[in-house]
Amino acid sequence: MNLGHCVHRIDTAGQKVIGSGPRAEVFEIPYDRLLIATGALPIVPQEPGFDLPGVTAVKTLENARTIKRLLQGKNVADTVIIGMGYIAMEMTEALRARGIGVRMVKPRPGLLPWLDAPLSDSVRQALEAHQVALHTGFSVDRIEQHGRRLKVIDNHGETFETDMVLVAMGIRPNSGLAEAAGLALGPSRSIAVDRHLATSSDVIYAAGDCADAYHVVTGQKAWVPLALRANRAGWAAADHVCGKPVSLQGVAGTGVFRIFDLEVARTGLFASEAEKAGFDPATVTISTQSRAHSYPGSSPLQVHLVGDKSSGRLLGAQMVGREGAALRINAAAVALHAGMTVEQFGQSDLAYAPPFGPTWDPLLVAANQLLKAL
Amino acid sequence: MNLGHCVHRIDTAGQKVIGSGPRAEVFEIPYDRLLIATGALPIVPQEPGFDLPGVTAVKTLENARTIKRLLQGKNVADTVIIGMGYIAMEMTEALRARGIGVRMVKPRPGLLPWLDAPLSDSVRQALEAHQVALHTGFSVDRIEQHGRRLKVIDNHGETFETDMVLVAMGIRPNSGLAEAAGLALGPSRSIAVDRHLATSSDVIYAAGDCADAYHVVTGQKAWVPLALRANRAGWAAADHVCGKPVSLQGVAGTGVFRIFDLEVARTGLFASEAEKAGFDPATVTISTQSRAHSYPGSSPLQVHLVGDKSSGRLLGAQMVGREGAALRINAAAVALHAGMTVEQFGQSDLAYAPPFGPTWDPLLVAANQLLKAL
């Protein structure tokens, strides 16, 4: 293990990597097979003030230590979080649990634009019920230090004063080395890999958040940097290099997060994605209950399904609710892998008992409704 | 609607049903199409004492009223429940919640014999932790009234005194009318129906707990009297009779129940069922955690999978845990409908976030283990 060694270049002709070690000494390491597992980098703008001490991305262990130190070292009463994605949501929940004020800002309209409007409204309500301020249309121009406080200023001059700024604007593939080595790139400049995790060079593999994947619904390449795929791709690359045949199907785009008392889950395509991929989507959104109506403790559960009018295929599913959303999405994810039609999926023999859902599982109710629109 | 009308006979040649009404008057009702939806009957032995006032089955609304009356009318301190199935479990939980003692008895060995041993051990431990006494090998010979108390006596003379006896020994299809009319019967003497819910007579349909279904794993007929299939079959029969083409795939045998703080879930075949159906089963049982290891509140989650050595197909899944078992089983149920191999299922893009499970969903961990045994 060569910790502290930074690779500067891949010499594909010479089959070696060239870089500098901890004492700035140049090294060259030859390879028979090379795995690029460089992950992703947080998106941090180059605008003024993003390097101030109270401003940090949320990506590395070092970032986490910085946040802890800020929280311990000075009286952080409020924060601005730039971004409204998964990581921004998780940080919001953690900060609110400590009683710290949170203001979330992003330049484009729409909280969670990939989520169907009634479902994202529920998320908005949960955030507002926990005193989180949401500001879309806020594009950060600069951050300034004013005494102990920071000023986050947008390009119209609107200003929020705060004690800490978290940058959770998303990530990009750390694919610079691969690109410089002439390897083919995929969506979002991720490293293009085949089902065996081989790049465009047959002795170089890539796995993790730096690499792309096939999407099981579109059959096209996609960049979905999430933990399971990254982990699975690492194992598969190792298996393949060691002579065990492995061929990965790809990703369905399944993702979940919790925000306060809500579970938010998705898999597959949302309607505009489906259109872009050449499908003719129909959608349905229903609101049911998480338990049988006779059973105490039930809460609303929203289900959104997307199907293809021409083939009848199920293309995607989304759920929001206090319980029963996160794990329920897996049934739809498996249906996407299997290429099921909405009708086939709607005939699934899903579990029923009063504590866990209505007789017809919410996904089945939605599938029955969607069938009418196909 | 002819309430209080009891059909005694189906005249298939004359296309009419014959019976007696509320004032014992004979009636005849002609039909173009007939739906038999007679449900199931509780199994209640003919042995002495099963008709005593403190003894009741657990099937009808009237049974529920009887139980309520018994609980209100006299001081019920303890009960004997005959049977250890879903209904017995639900009654046990309800009675223990009221502080009433429960003794469960059944003639054959094995609590939940369809459940893999380490999983049924967890259920046993949960029952015992809630002071439920379990007596397998106890075959009730008779029940006797002794003053205000009942004596439940087995065929070796072993005796339990109690205040109330619940008979939850299972159900049988209420198929007598159909059998007498010469209609073909399926497993357990349920009424045989095709994928359109038609019986062996093409103008007579049957739906609900009285009728059989195709099992999607075996392709054979099965009798799985559960709520979703019963409900779905009723809708499908109506659609079919009204000219809308419906063809039901069948059941995967998915079932869940909660007992105290445990969720118990199953779908598909268990190993001995798989063998009987002509498969060459391999199994795996693992114990994982319900949440990511860094996330508080995790609890053990057991997963048992059954696969077929010759085809590699997934045949069944079972889960027991405090959380994450009931809804998780649906992913495996959909995989059974799709006829997925264990390898295909193991590549599913299932949801991950720390509050809901480890990076590799417990079902995926089990599938990876099972692959090694196939």
Side-chain angles (χ1 to χ4, degrees), chain A residues 199-222:
Chain A
T199 66
S200 53
S201 158
D202 58 4
V203 295
I204 305 180
Y205 294 75
D209 289 353
C210 61
D212 71 0
Y214 285 95
H215 197 292
V216 298
V217 179
T218 63
Q220 310 286 308
K221 284 301 192 75

Side-chain angles (χ1 to χ4, degrees), chain B residues 348-367:
Chain B
S348 301
D349 186 9
L350 302 189
Y352 163 64
F356 308 117
T359 306
W360 290 79
D361 189 275
L363 280 167
L364 301 178
V365 176

Side-chain angles (χ1 to χ4, degrees), chain B residues 84 103-108 133-138 158 160:
Chain B
M84 297 187 189
R103 199 180 284 281
M104 303 178 90
V105 305
K106 65 177 277 199
R108 275 183 285 192
L134 299 170
H135 302 273
T136 54
F138 187 103
E158 192 175 6
F160 296 124

Side-chain angles (χ1 to χ4, degrees), chain A residues 289-298 352-359, chain B residues 90:
Chain A
Q289 290 289 311
S290 65
R291 305 181 182 189
H293 76 277
S294 60
Y295 202 89
S298 196
Y352 164 64
F356 308 117
T359 305
Chain B
E90 291 187 353

